[in-house]
Amino acid sequence: MRLGYIRVSTQEQLPDRQVESLTAHCDDLILEKISASRKKRPLFIKAQQRLRSGDSLVILDLDRAFRNTLEALSVMQRLSQRGVALEVLSLNINTATPEGELMYTLTAAYARYEWRCISRRTKEGMQAAKARGALIGRPRAMNASMLKEADNLITNGMTASLAARKLGIGQSTLYRYLQTCQ
């Protein structure tokens, strides 16, 4: 049996690309909508448990199944010990062969290296943007005039809940901004 594992991080993301790619190559598909950063991915665990000697776990890309290099290698090792191959379609890798196992190991290490380089470049870019005076992150929920209006509303007897609603922000956001002003 060739079991395809598909993962998207959020309910809004569409798995279409993975489904289309894996359908032609797999006997069955398992779709999980969960962030890869979650330590427990129940359907990924279930997919591995379903497999028997001679079966294959098929994924489209490494990052759809694994959080890091260590996890990718340990899952491959556990599956291999049970006689289960791991296939990565986008890279034409099948760990059932010694060459496939080597390529998988190298690719997992390279993926980690690439991720760390991207992370470093992103941080460097953010530092450079900050040095130029750019605002990094989410836009502020309140500006100075909104904060002044909120203070006036609350001072004149309006509850924080009503003031927040009137300003179109959440009550916890209002409290957070009011605390920073004190």
Side-chain angles (χ1 to χ4, degrees):
M1 175 176 65
R2 296 179 77 203
L3 179 61
Y5 175 74
I6 297 167
R7 186 192 60 76
V8 291
S9 297
T10 66
Q11 295 295 326
E12 294 79 31
Q13 282 184 323
L14 298 175
D16 300 354
R17 179 181 73 93
Q18 294 177 74
V19 171
E20 289 172 11
S21 296
L22 293 177
T23 298
H25 300 277
C26 298
D27 302 309
D28 196 9
L29 301 176
I30 290 182
L31 169 62
E32 188 159 44
K33 293 187 177 190
I34 193 169
S35 172
S37 64
R38 297 280 300 269
K39 288 185 180 181
K40 299 230 179 195
R41 289 168 284 147
L43 294 180
F44 186 56
I45 293 167
K46 189 177 187 177
Q48 293 174 65
Q49 291 170 343
R50 277 183 59 186
L51 298 165
R52 303 290 173 247
S53 182
D55 291 346
S56 291
L57 177 62
V58 185
I59 58 175
L60 183 58
D61 299 303
L62 282 174
D63 68 332
R64 297 293 86 207
F66 306 111
R67 297 186 316 266
N68 55 50
T69 305
L70 183 59
E71 182 186 28
L73 295 175
S74 64
V75 168
M76 180 199 61
Q77 183 179 19
R78 282 194 311 270
L79 292 175
S80 178
Q81 288 171 347
R82 294 176 30 218
V84 175
L86 185 57
E87 296 180 46
V88 184
L89 287 185
S90 65
L91 301 170
N92 198 25
I93 293 175
N94 184 336
T95 64
T97 67
E99 297 81 9
E101 188 174 322
L102 173 64
M103 290 307 300
Y104 178 84
T105 302
L106 293 172
T107 301
Y110 183 75
R112 173 69 177 167
Y113 166 74
E114 182 181 25
W115 178 86
R116 291 194 64 198
C117 287
I118 290 169
S119 177
R120 180 180 59 207
R121 287 191 302 267
T122 300
K123 288 174 185 171
E124 289 169 354
M126 289 171 64
Q127 286 175 343
K130 280 182 183 179
R132 290 190 310 271
L135 295 175
I136 304 296
R138 293 178 62 178
R140 299 229 179 255
M142 292 183 72
N143 57 34
S145 66
M146 289 174 72
L147 188 55
K148 186 176 181 179
E149 183 180 352
D151 188 46
N152 286 337
L153 292 171
I154 293 170
T155 301
N156 291 323
M158 186 178 280
T159 66
S161 177
L162 286 174
R165 198 171 312 137
K166 180 173 180 164
L167 294 168
I169 60 171
Q171 187 174 341
S172 61
T173 301
L174 177 58
Y175 282 130
R176 190 171 49 254
Y177 275 87
L178 290 173
Q179 282 182 329
T180 61
C181 293
Q182 295 175 2

